[in-house]
């Protein structure tokens, strides 16, 4: 893959995540991704990526943010 192709793929992945997790109401979803997309997502975002079989992955942002008392 060329640098341009990787950048486009990363942009598509970012848009997909933005659409699926829009508003922050959902912190966990099941998505159909390629193995390459799942690996990029796990490396680039603070998310747990768990394979579920086939091309399905559970993406979880739970625990990604911690709130502390001041």
């Amino acid at each position: 893959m060329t640098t341009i192709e990787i950048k486009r793929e990363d942009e598509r992945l970012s848009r997909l995540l933005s659409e699926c997790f829009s508003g922050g109401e959902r912190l966990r979803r099941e998505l159909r991704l390629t193995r390459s997309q799942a690996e990029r997502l796990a490396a680039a975002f603070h998310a747990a990526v768990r394979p579920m079989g086939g091309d399905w992955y559970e993406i979880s942002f739970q625990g990604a943010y911690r709130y502390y008392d001041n």
Side-chain angles (χ1 to χ4, degrees):
M1 226 182 236
T2 67
T3 303
I4 292 172
E5 290 172 323
I6 291 170
K7 185 176 179 181
R8 286 182 184 154
E9 182 65 26
D10 288 346
E11 289 172 358
R12 281 193 291 265
L13 186 58
S14 291
R15 280 195 304 272
L16 174 65
L17 290 176
S18 180
E19 290 173 16
C20 292
F21 292 95
S22 152
E25 305 90 35
R26 291 182 169 249
L27 297 176
R28 182 176 42 188
R29 292 197 76 135
E30 296 169 2
L31 299 176
R32 179 173 269 171
L33 303 169
T34 65
R35 190 173 94 174
S36 174
Q37 288 173 320
E39 289 170 355
R40 273 198 193 86
L41 192 152
F45 298 91
H46 188 66
V49 179
R50 184 178 66 89
M52 299 175 60
D55 290 335
W56 287 95
Y57 293 84
E58 180 185 73
I59 312 302
S60 177
F61 286 96
Q62 291 179 335
Y65 299 101
R66 295 185 181 179
Y67 299 95
Y68 297 97
D69 294 329
N70 291 332

